[in-house]
């Protein structure tokens, strides 16, 4: 059975998409970021908890503050990407649950009254949303360069607070010259899927 999504869209989102390591200087607009969010906000999370929070780094001053916390190999691309997003998990997401889950507002206190439970749920569900975000960037015709090579405590202190845990930093823009490393291998269907 073939997929309903046409081949060009499959290529854009998955087969031809890769992590970009260089970018042109073409700006990423607020309208593009809004369109990305307006698409990916519909991706599912448990209890519709939606714990992803995004800090957009545009200014030279903000970029300088961020780059000092990036791993050495990630600094040049973070310095030159038109837009950088810090994706974080909000460990106090439960405060929004009465509005996000109006048919079951008691979920806030019934399931998420304890901080360790919230941190676990926020980490998993914000990671799901981070994946949706990357696909949304691709759907906008842009390249994403997600990275976890950074000083998490430094980024948290510099840009977030104790209630928000950084998940990844994503460089965003049009791919530049020599943007791609060669495609790495993938596991086969039979290596991944077991039927019982």
């Amino acid at each position: 059975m073939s997929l309903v999504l046409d081949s060009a869209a499959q290529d854009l989102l998955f087969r031809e998409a890769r992590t970009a390591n260089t970018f042109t200087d073409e700006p990423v607009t607020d309208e593009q970021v809004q369109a990305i969010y307006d698409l990916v906000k519909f991706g599912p999370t448990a209890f519709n908890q939606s714990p992803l929070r995004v800090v957009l780094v545009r200014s030279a001053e903000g970029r300088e503050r961020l780059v000092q916390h990036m791993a050495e190999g990630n600094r040049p691309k973070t310095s030159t990407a038109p837009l950088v997003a810090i994706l974080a998990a909000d460990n106090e997401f439960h405060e929004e649950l009465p509005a996000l889950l109006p048919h079951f507002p008691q979920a806030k206190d019934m399931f998420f009254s304890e901080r360790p439970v919230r941190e676990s749920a926020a980490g998993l569900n914000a990671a799901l949303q981070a994946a949706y975000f990357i696909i949304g960037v691709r759907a906008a015709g842009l390249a994403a360069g997600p990275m976890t090579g950074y000083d998490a405590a430094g980024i948290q202190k510099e840009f977030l607070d104790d209630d928000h845990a950084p998940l990844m930093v994503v460089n965003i823009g049009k791919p530049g010259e020599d943007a791609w490393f060669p495609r790495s291998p993938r596991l086969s269907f039979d290596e991944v899927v077991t039927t019982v």
Side-chain angles (χ1 to χ4, degrees):
M1 178 177 165
S2 63
L3 299 175
V4 173
L5 194 65
D6 71 59
S7 185
Q10 294 172 41
D11 288 345
L12 177 70
L13 299 179
F14 293 100
R15 284 192 290 260
E16 298 299 324
R18 286 182 276 167
T19 296
N21 294 291
T22 67
F23 297 89
T24 69
D25 59 3
E26 183 178 331
V28 176
T29 67
D30 290 338
E31 292 77 17
Q32 287 172 302
V33 177
Q34 180 76 52
I36 291 165
Y37 177 73
D38 286 342
L39 175 64
V40 305
K41 69 183 178 184
F42 294 110
T45 58
F47 292 96
N48 197 34
Q49 59 191 248
S50 306
L52 182 71
R53 301 296 180 264
V54 181
V55 176
L56 297 177
V57 181
R58 286 194 183 279
S59 70
E61 180 267 336
R63 188 75 54 108
E64 187 175 313
R65 288 169 46 213
L66 175 60
V67 167
Q68 69 180 336
H69 298 292
M70 300 303 294
E72 190 67 38
N74 291 332
R75 289 178 179 181
K77 46 194 166 185
T78 303
S79 296
T80 58
L83 180 65
V84 183
I86 301 169
L87 304 188
D90 180 0
N91 293 311
E92 296 297 310
F93 68 86
H94 69 307
E95 296 296 344
E96 306 294 337
L97 278 182
L100 293 172
L101 202 65
H103 63 280
F104 188 28
Q106 62 271 32
K108 172 189 173 192
D109 298 315
M110 187 178 291
F111 296 106
F112 301 108
S113 62
E114 296 181 17
R115 177 69 179 234
V117 173
R118 290 197 306 274
E119 288 178 358
S120 177
L124 171 63
N125 287 280
L128 283 173
Q129 290 186 284
Y132 305 147
F133 182 85
I134 292 166
I135 300 301
V137 168
R138 294 172 176 179
L142 300 168
M147 301 169 294
T148 56
Y150 53 76
D151 171 13
I155 286 179
Q156 184 174 32
K157 182 177 179 183
E158 192 78 35
F159 293 95
L160 304 167
D161 58 33
D162 290 341
D163 292 330
H164 294 81
L167 295 172
M168 66 182 68
V169 173
V170 183
N171 297 322
I172 304 169
K174 291 286 187 179
E177 190 174 338
D178 298 322
W180 321 115
F181 293 140
R183 170 73 78 190
S184 295
R186 297 296 191 267
L187 296 174
S188 71
F189 180 85
D190 292 333
E191 291 174 298
V192 173
V193 178
T194 303
T195 303
V196 294

